[in-house]
Amino acid sequence: MVVWFVNGLVCKVLGAVPRHEAIVARILDHDYAHHLMIMIGLSEMVMAAWVWSGKWKKLNVWTQITLVAVMNTLESLIAQDLLLWSRWNLVWAGVFISIVYFNHRVSKRI
């Protein structure tokens, strides 16, 4: 939840990490990159609220996994030179996906 909120608010809405806007510009549209980045940031904050709410947990988990996988694959294919960890970004995305998945599996047992 914190990852979604911080990435959404700090990195995108407040624009603290200009690299994010450059990635959006390259993948989506340079002319609207700033506005798209803010919309993406707000969406990430909504994702954080959804995680926090605990509603529709299974749908939430699979939505997170899908978004992270698609986003990181596109970034690696189109904007790898702008990524913080270059090729290793996919590894960190895999770690995040694993944490989301296993956290969900563990919470189902409790």
Side-chain angles (χ1 to χ4, degrees):
M1 171 182 64
V2 173
V3 172
W4 288 110
F5 187 78
V6 170
N7 261 325
L9 178 63
V10 177
C11 297
K12 294 186 181 74
V13 173
L14 297 177
V17 183
R19 178 175 45 80
H20 285 252
E21 188 168 341
I23 293 168
V24 170
R26 185 163 311 161
I27 294 172
L28 296 175
D29 188 336
H30 195 284
D31 294 336
Y32 301 103
H34 181 72
H35 299 294
L36 290 168
M37 188 182 68
I38 290 173
M39 289 171 47
I40 292 167
L42 292 172
S43 298
E44 288 179 350
M45 294 168 66
V46 168
M47 178 63 79
W50 185 14
V51 172
W52 182 73
S53 77
K55 301 284 184 186
W56 307 298
K57 287 181 183 180
K58 188 174 183 178
L59 177 61
N60 180 274
V61 165
W62 289 109
T63 300
Q64 288 184 73
I65 289 170
T66 302
L67 287 173
V68 170
V70 169
M71 176 183 65
N72 280 276
T73 300
L74 283 173
E75 290 172 349
S76 290
L77 292 172
I78 300 170
Q80 188 177 57
D81 60 309
L82 297 172
L83 299 176
L84 185 60
W85 296 299
S86 189
R87 289 185 185 140
W88 291 97
N89 213 59
L90 283 175
V91 172
W92 293 113
V95 168
F96 182 78
I97 287 169
S98 297
I99 290 169
V100 169
Y101 178 77
F102 288 112
N103 185 48
H104 173 67
R105 298 293 295 169
V106 168
S107 70
K108 282 177 61 172
R109 292 187 197 143
I110 296 174

